[in-house]
Amino acid sequence: MVQQCRRVLVADQSATNREELATLLQQAGMSVDLTEALALEDCLTKLKKARKHPFDLALVGSFSDVDQTEIPSKLAAFGDETVIVLIAEAPNPALFEKAVNSAIYDCLIAPVELQDIRRVIKRASIHKDPLPILIVDDTRVMRKVVMKVLNESEFSLAISEADSCDMAVSLCRKIPYYCSFLDLNIRVQDGLETARKILKLQPQMSYRSDVDQQCRYER
């Protein structure tokens, strides 16, 4: 399924590397508004100019005139608005450490694999697309408490509520949820059995229980 069009900046002095990254983005099913930068200064200029409408994702490789360990600090100012991923030719602990301290989302090792691109695309999408979330609890007050906490997060959320296990399973037949918050002690029905049914319908879903010690079960 093709993702919503994303603004992506690919910065690398190598035309071959830029082309390979563009190909991976297409293979990942991503509709891309692609901008290229051939030098680090060009990359920084484009990020600055895009401040009012930031890039969703920036894939930043290497440049012969720049020590790559110096790049994270130069990109740090843009890490809150753009998911920035560095691409190194080889493992570099000094680069990784500086990236962590500079709001860089990740460092990938070339050659970049399709699964890595899919992962960073998903991360870039979290801030843009509402995440469908399911709250399952038979107590209205508890549902509202969980909802209040979720709504204070930095993410855009589309929250559904279910006051029974049957309703939760019915919703999961129709809506592909990102994650579910389920009360395992829900009355009338078995919350753990409901969790199994939900995960059978949607095995991709992240699951969080309010009773951690009961979360260990076989899907």
Side-chain angles (χ1 to χ4, degrees):
M1 182 175 66
V2 176
Q3 303 282 337
Q4 179 182 343
C5 182
R6 298 290 175 202
R7 297 190 70 222
V8 179
L9 175 63
V10 174
D12 195 293
Q13 70 175 18
S14 167
T16 299
N17 291 345
R18 296 196 306 274
E19 183 177 348
E20 289 177 351
L21 290 171
T23 299
L24 286 172
L25 289 167
Q26 292 177 349
Q27 291 176 348
M30 187 178 190
S31 178
V32 175
D33 176 6
L34 185 65
T35 299
E36 296 187 8
L38 286 64
L40 180 58
E41 288 306 316
D42 186 28
C43 171
L44 295 173
T45 297
K46 286 182 166 65
L47 286 168
K48 289 176 183 176
K49 288 183 177 180
R51 273 275 167 79
K52 290 184 178 180
H53 186 22
F55 290 99
D56 300 299
L57 175 64
L59 302 173
V60 182
S62 57
F63 310 92
S64 59
D65 59 340
V66 180
D67 181 344
Q68 198 169 27
T69 59
E70 298 176 1
I71 294 179
S73 61
K74 296 180 182 294
L75 296 174
F78 308 99
D80 290 337
E81 55 202 40
T82 297
V83 174
I84 298 175
V85 177
L86 298 181
I87 300 172
E89 296 298 325
N92 186 333
L95 175 64
F96 298 162
E97 182 178 354
K98 290 187 177 181
V100 168
N101 295 326
S102 302
I104 305 300
Y105 171 64
D106 203 353
C107 289
L108 304 179
I109 306 301
V112 177
E113 297 183 359
L114 182 58
Q115 63 184 14
D116 294 322
I117 291 295
R118 284 178 171 152
R119 174 168 54 80
V120 297
I121 286 173
K122 184 175 181 179
R123 177 63 179 82
S125 298
I126 285 177
H127 284 283
K128 303 296 181 179
D129 297 334
L131 293 174
I133 305 294
L134 176 62
I135 300 173
V136 187
D137 198 301
D138 54 3
T139 305
R140 182 176 181 276
V141 171
M142 288 306 301
R143 296 199 305 274
K144 296 306 178 186
V145 169
V146 175
M147 185 178 297
K148 182 178 185 298
V149 173
L150 292 175
N151 282 331
E152 291 175 354
S153 76
E154 63 182 296
F155 305 112
S156 175
L157 305 176
I159 302 175
S160 301
E161 298 179 63
D163 60 6
S164 69
C165 295
D166 286 342
M167 184 177 180
V169 172
S170 178
L171 285 170
C172 287
R173 295 184 190 279
K174 304 171 184 176
I175 301 173
Y177 289 104
Y178 180 76
C179 72
S180 172
F181 293 80
L182 170 65
D183 177 10
L184 290 181
N185 293 320
I186 194 167
R187 293 189 294 271
V188 181
Q189 292 175 292
D190 183 349
L192 191 58
E193 180 59 30
T194 299
R196 292 193 179 100
K197 290 179 180 178
I198 288 175
L199 288 170
K200 185 175 181 179
L201 289 169
Q202 300 193 26
Q204 85 292 341
M205 185 189 297
S206 299
Y207 170 79
R208 175 71 174 93
S209 166
D210 62 352
V211 186
D212 289 338
Q213 64 268 27
Q214 295 185 45
C215 285
R216 299 178 182 178
Y217 55 84
E218 295 182 3
R219 296 190 179 186

